[in-house]
Every structure is written in C-alpha cells, then in structure tokens.
Coordinates of all heavy atoms in Angstrom, one line a residue:
N10 N -1.7 14.7 25.4 CA -1.3 13.4 25.2 C -0.1 13.2 24.2 O -0.5 12.9 23.1 CB -2.6 12.6 24.9 CG -2.3 11.1 25.1 OD1 -1.2 10.5 25.1 ND2 -3.4 10.3 25.2
Q11 N 1.1 13.3 24.7 CA 2.2 13.3 23.7 C 2.3 11.9 23.0 O 2.6 11.9 21.7 CB 3.4 13.6 24.4 CG 3.6 15.1 24.8 CD 3.5 16.1 23.6 OE1 4.1 15.9 22.6 NE2 2.6 17.1 23.8
P12 N 2.1 10.9 23.7 CA 2.2 9.5 22.9 C 1.2 9.5 21.8 O 1.5 8.9 20.8 CB 1.9 8.5 24.1 CG 2.4 9.1 25.3 CD 2.1 10.6 25.1
F13 N -0.1 10.0 22.0 CA -1.0 10.0 21.0 C -0.7 10.9 20.0 O -0.8 10.4 18.7 CB -2.4 10.6 21.6 CG -3.4 11.0 20.5 CD1 -4.0 10.2 19.7 CD2 -3.6 12.4 20.3 CE1 -4.9 10.5 18.7 CE2 -4.5 12.9 19.3 CZ -5.1 11.9 18.5
L14 N -0.1 12.0 20.1 CA 0.3 12.9 19.0 C 1.4 12.3 18.2 O 1.4 12.2 16.9 CB 0.8 14.3 19.6 CG -0.3 15.1 20.3 CD1 0.3 16.4 20.8 CD2 -1.5 15.5 19.3
R15 N 2.4 11.6 18.8 CA 3.4 10.9 18.1 C 2.9 9.8 17.4 O 3.3 9.5 16.2 CB 4.5 10.5 19.1 CG 5.3 11.6 19.7 CD 6.6 11.2 20.3 NE 6.4 10.3 21.4 CZ 6.3 10.8 22.8 NH1 6.4 12.1 23.0 NH2 5.9 10.0 23.7
L16 N 2.0 9.0 17.9 CA 1.5 7.9 17.2 C 0.6 8.2 16.1 O 0.7 7.6 15.0 CB 0.6 7.0 18.2 CG 0.0 5.7 17.7 CD1 1.0 4.7 17.1 CD2 -0.9 5.1 18.8
I17 N -0.2 9.2 16.2 CA -1.2 9.5 15.1 C -0.3 10.1 13.9 O -0.7 9.8 12.8 CB -2.3 10.4 15.5 CG1 -3.4 10.4 14.5 CG2 -1.8 11.9 15.7 CD1 -4.7 11.0 15.0
A18 N 0.7 10.8 14.2 CA 1.6 11.3 13.1 C 2.3 10.1 12.4 O 2.2 10.0 11.1 CB 2.7 12.2 13.7
A19 N 2.8 9.2 13.1 CA 3.4 8.0 12.6 C 2.3 7.2 11.7 O 2.6 6.6 10.6 CB 4.0 7.1 13.6
F20 N 1.1 7.0 12.3 CA 0.0 6.3 11.7 C -0.4 6.9 10.4 O -0.6 6.3 9.5 CB -1.2 6.3 12.7 CG -2.2 5.3 12.4 CD1 -2.0 4.0 12.5 CD2 -3.5 5.8 12.0 CE1 -2.9 3.0 12.1 CE2 -4.5 4.9 11.7 CZ -4.3 3.5 11.7
F21 N -0.4 8.2 10.4 CA -0.8 9.0 9.1 C 0.2 8.8 8.1 O -0.1 8.4 6.9 CB -1.0 10.5 9.4 CG -1.2 11.3 8.2 CD1 -2.5 11.4 7.7 CD2 -0.1 12.1 7.7 CE1 -2.6 12.2 6.5 CE2 -0.4 12.8 6.5 CZ -1.6 12.8 6.0
L22 N 1.4 9.0 8.4 CA 2.6 8.8 7.4 C 2.7 7.4 6.9 O 2.8 7.2 5.7 CB 3.9 9.2 8.0 CG 4.1 10.8 8.4 CD1 5.4 11.0 9.1 CD2 4.0 11.5 7.0
N23 N 2.4 6.4 7.8 CA 2.5 5.0 7.4 C 1.3 4.7 6.5 O 1.4 4.0 5.5 CB 2.4 4.1 8.6 CG 2.5 2.7 8.3 OD1 3.4 2.3 7.6 ND2 1.6 1.8 8.9
G24 N 0.1 5.3 6.7 CA -1.1 5.2 6.0 C -0.9 5.8 4.6 O -1.3 5.2 3.5
L25 N -0.2 6.9 4.5 CA 0.1 7.5 3.2 C 1.0 6.7 2.4 O 0.8 6.5 1.2 CB 0.6 8.9 3.5 CG 1.1 9.8 2.3 CD1 -0.2 10.1 1.6 CD2 1.8 11.1 2.9
A26 N 2.1 6.1 3.1 CA 3.0 5.3 2.4 C 2.4 3.9 1.8 O 2.6 3.5 0.8 CB 4.2 4.9 3.3
N27 N 1.4 3.5 2.7 CA 0.8 2.3 2.2 C -0.3 2.5 1.2 O -0.5 1.8 0.3 CB 0.1 1.5 3.4 CG 1.0 0.7 4.3 OD1 2.0 0.1 3.8 ND2 0.8 0.8 5.6
G28 N -0.8 3.7 1.1 CA -1.9 4.1 0.1 C -1.2 4.2 -1.2 O -2.0 4.1 -2.2
L29 N 0.0 4.6 -1.4 CA 0.6 4.9 -2.7 C 0.7 3.5 -3.5 O 0.2 3.5 -4.6 CB 2.0 5.5 -2.6 CG 1.9 7.0 -2.0 CD1 3.3 7.4 -1.7 CD2 1.2 7.9 -3.1
P30 N 1.4 2.5 -3.0 CA 1.3 1.3 -3.7 C 0.0 0.6 -3.9 O -0.3 0.0 -4.9 CB 2.2 0.3 -3.0 CG 2.3 0.9 -1.5 CD 2.2 2.4 -1.7
A31 N -0.9 0.8 -2.8 CA -2.3 0.2 -3.1 C -3.0 0.9 -4.2 O -3.7 0.3 -5.0 CB -3.0 0.5 -1.7
S32 N -2.8 2.3 -4.4 CA -3.5 2.9 -5.5 C -2.9 2.6 -6.9 O -3.6 2.6 -7.8 CB -3.2 4.4 -5.3 OG -3.8 5.0 -4.0
L33 N -1.5 2.3 -6.9 CA -0.9 2.0 -8.1 C -0.8 0.5 -8.5 O -0.2 0.2 -9.6 CB 0.5 2.6 -8.1 CG 0.6 4.2 -8.0 CD1 2.0 4.7 -7.7 CD2 -0.1 4.9 -9.1
F34 N -1.2 -0.3 -7.6 CA -1.0 -1.7 -7.8 C -1.4 -2.3 -9.1 O -0.7 -2.9 -9.8 CB -1.5 -2.5 -6.5 CG -1.6 -4.0 -6.8 CD1 -0.5 -4.8 -6.8 CD2 -2.8 -4.7 -7.1 CE1 -0.5 -6.1 -6.9 CE2 -2.8 -5.9 -7.4 CZ -1.7 -6.8 -7.2
L35 N -2.7 -2.0 -9.4 CA -3.3 -2.7 -10.6 C -2.6 -2.1 -11.8 O -2.3 -2.8 -12.8 CB -4.9 -2.3 -10.6 CG -5.7 -2.9 -9.7 CD1 -7.1 -2.3 -9.8 CD2 -5.6 -4.3 -9.7
F36 N -2.3 -0.7 -11.9 CA -1.5 -0.2 -13.1 C -0.1 -0.8 -13.2 O 0.4 -1.1 -14.2 CB -1.5 1.3 -12.9 CG -2.9 2.0 -12.8 CD1 -3.4 2.3 -11.6 CD2 -3.6 2.2 -14.0 CE1 -4.7 3.0 -11.6 CE2 -4.9 2.8 -14.0 CZ -5.3 3.2 -12.7
F37 N 0.6 -1.0 -12.1 CA 1.9 -1.3 -12.0 C 2.0 -2.8 -12.5 O 2.8 -3.1 -13.4 CB 2.4 -1.4 -10.6 CG 3.9 -1.7 -10.5 CD1 4.9 -0.7 -10.7 CD2 4.3 -3.1 -10.2 CE1 6.3 -1.0 -10.7 CE2 5.7 -3.3 -10.2 CZ 6.7 -2.3 -10.4
V38 N 1.1 -3.7 -12.1 CA 1.2 -5.1 -12.5 C 0.8 -5.2 -14.0 O 1.6 -5.9 -14.8 CB 0.3 -6.0 -11.7 CG1 0.1 -7.4 -12.3 CG2 0.7 -6.0 -10.3
A39 N -0.2 -4.4 -14.5 CA -0.7 -4.6 -15.9 C 0.2 -3.8 -16.8 O 0.6 -4.4 -17.8 CB -2.1 -4.0 -15.9
E40 N 0.7 -2.5 -16.4 CA 1.4 -1.7 -17.5 C 2.9 -1.8 -17.2 O 3.6 -1.8 -18.3 CB 0.9 -0.3 -17.3 CG -0.6 0.0 -17.3 CD -1.2 -0.5 -18.6 OE1 -0.4 -0.5 -19.7 OE2 -2.4 -1.0 -18.7
R41 N 3.4 -1.9 -16.1 CA 4.9 -2.0 -15.9 C 5.4 -3.3 -16.1 O 6.4 -3.6 -16.7 CB 5.1 -1.4 -14.4 CG 6.7 -1.5 -14.1 CD 7.6 -0.6 -14.9 NE 8.9 -0.6 -14.6 CZ 9.8 0.0 -15.1 NH1 9.7 0.7 -16.3 NH2 11.1 0.0 -14.7
L42 N 4.8 -4.3 -15.4 CA 5.2 -5.7 -15.5 C 4.7 -6.4 -16.6 O 5.1 -7.5 -17.0 CB 4.8 -6.5 -14.2 CG 5.4 -5.9 -12.8 CD1 4.9 -6.8 -11.7 CD2 6.9 -5.9 -12.9
G43 N 3.6 -5.9 -17.3 CA 3.0 -6.6 -18.4 C 2.4 -7.9 -18.1 O 2.4 -8.9 -18.7
A44 N 1.7 -7.9 -16.8 CA 1.2 -9.2 -16.3 C -0.4 -9.0 -16.0 O -0.8 -9.4 -14.9 CB 2.0 -9.6 -15.1
A45 N -1.1 -8.3 -16.9 CA -2.6 -8.2 -16.7 C -3.2 -9.6 -16.4 O -2.9 -10.5 -17.2 CB -3.2 -7.4 -17.8
G46 N -4.0 -9.6 -15.4 CA -4.7 -10.8 -15.1 C -4.1 -11.6 -14.0 O -4.6 -12.5 -13.4
Q47 N -2.9 -11.2 -13.5 CA -2.2 -11.9 -12.5 C -2.3 -11.1 -11.2 O -1.7 -11.6 -10.1 CB -0.7 -11.9 -12.8 CG -0.3 -12.8 -14.1 CD -0.9 -14.2 -14.0 OE1 -0.6 -14.9 -12.9 NE2 -1.5 -14.6 -15.0
E48 N -3.0 -10.0 -11.1 CA -3.1 -9.2 -9.9 C -3.7 -10.1 -8.7 O -3.2 -10.0 -7.7 CB -4.1 -8.0 -10.2 CG -3.6 -7.1 -11.2 CD -4.1 -7.3 -12.7 OE1 -4.5 -8.4 -12.9 OE2 -3.9 -6.5 -13.5
P49 N -4.8 -11.0 -8.9 CA -5.3 -11.7 -7.8 C -4.2 -12.6 -7.2 O -4.2 -12.8 -6.0 CB -6.4 -12.5 -8.4 CG -6.9 -11.7 -9.6 CD -5.7 -11.1 -10.1
L50 N -3.4 -13.2 -8.1 CA -2.2 -14.1 -7.5 C -1.3 -13.3 -6.6 O -1.0 -13.7 -5.5 CB -1.5 -14.7 -8.7 CG -0.3 -15.5 -8.3 CD1 -0.7 -16.7 -7.4 CD2 0.5 -16.0 -9.6
F51 N -0.9 -12.1 -7.0 CA 0.0 -11.3 -6.2 C -0.6 -10.9 -4.9 O 0.0 -10.8 -3.9 CB 0.6 -10.2 -7.0 CG 1.6 -10.4 -8.1 CD1 1.3 -10.1 -9.4 CD2 2.7 -11.1 -7.8 CE1 2.2 -10.3 -10.4 CE2 3.5 -11.5 -8.9 CZ 3.3 -11.0 -10.1
L52 N -1.9 -10.5 -4.9 CA -2.7 -10.1 -3.8 C -2.7 -11.2 -2.8 O -2.6 -11.2 -1.6 CB -4.0 -9.6 -4.1 CG -4.2 -8.3 -4.7 CD1 -5.5 -7.8 -5.1 CD2 -3.6 -7.3 -3.6
L53 N -3.0 -12.5 -3.3 CA -3.1 -13.7 -2.5 C -1.7 -14.0 -1.8 O -1.7 -14.3 -0.6 CB -3.5 -14.9 -3.3 CG -5.1 -14.8 -3.7 CD1 -5.4 -16.0 -4.6 CD2 -6.0 -14.9 -2.5
I54 N -0.7 -13.9 -2.6 CA 0.7 -14.1 -1.9 C 0.9 -13.0 -0.9 O 1.4 -13.4 0.2 CB 1.8 -13.9 -3.0 CG1 1.7 -15.1 -4.1 CG2 3.2 -13.9 -2.4 CD1 2.6 -14.9 -5.3
Y55 N 0.6 -11.8 -1.2 CA 0.8 -10.8 -0.1 C 0.0 -11.0 1.1 O 0.6 -10.9 2.2 CB 0.2 -9.4 -0.8 CG 0.4 -8.1 0.0 CD1 1.6 -7.6 0.4 CD2 -0.7 -7.5 0.4 CE1 1.7 -6.4 1.1 CE2 -0.7 -6.3 1.1 CZ 0.5 -5.8 1.5 OH 0.6 -4.6 2.2
F56 N -1.3 -11.3 1.0 CA -2.1 -11.4 2.2 C -1.8 -12.9 3.0 O -1.8 -12.9 4.2 CB -3.6 -11.4 1.9 CG -4.0 -10.0 1.5 CD1 -4.6 -9.6 0.3 CD2 -3.9 -8.9 2.5 CE1 -5.0 -8.3 -0.1 CE2 -4.3 -7.6 2.3 CZ -4.8 -7.4 1.0

C-alpha cells in the first residue's frame, strides 16, 4: 500500500515537528520570552 507508506512517513515527520515546540513551549514562554504565567493565554489563542 504505497499511499499508506507515504502518508505514515509524512505523518511521523509532522508529528515529530509538532512535538518539538509542544515540548519546549512552557520553557520558551517562561525563560526566553520572560512571560511566566502567560502560557494559558498563548494556548487559548493557538487553539
């Protein structure tokens, strides 16, 4: 099933790419932006 193989490869790479900012989000907002406590606001905007 070639469409499946291409799709699951894209799906995996996309999940990996999305997982990186998700893992670093709390640290980025608090430590890089200096906006600790504002994380829920940014998440609400995003969703």
Side-chain angles (χ1 to χ4, degrees):
N10 191 341
Q11 291 300 312
F13 161 73
L14 297 178
R15 290 195 294 270
L16 180 61
I17 200 168
F20 193 69
F21 173 80
L22 291 174
N23 184 49
L25 182 61
N27 282 325
L29 290 170
S32 302
L33 297 172
F34 168 75
L35 294 176
F36 299 99
F37 185 84
V38 173
E40 306 298 334
R41 175 68 174 174
L42 298 181
Q47 299 301 311
E48 297 90 347
L50 174 61
F51 288 123
L52 283 175
L53 288 173
I54 292 172
Y55 179 67
F56 289 121

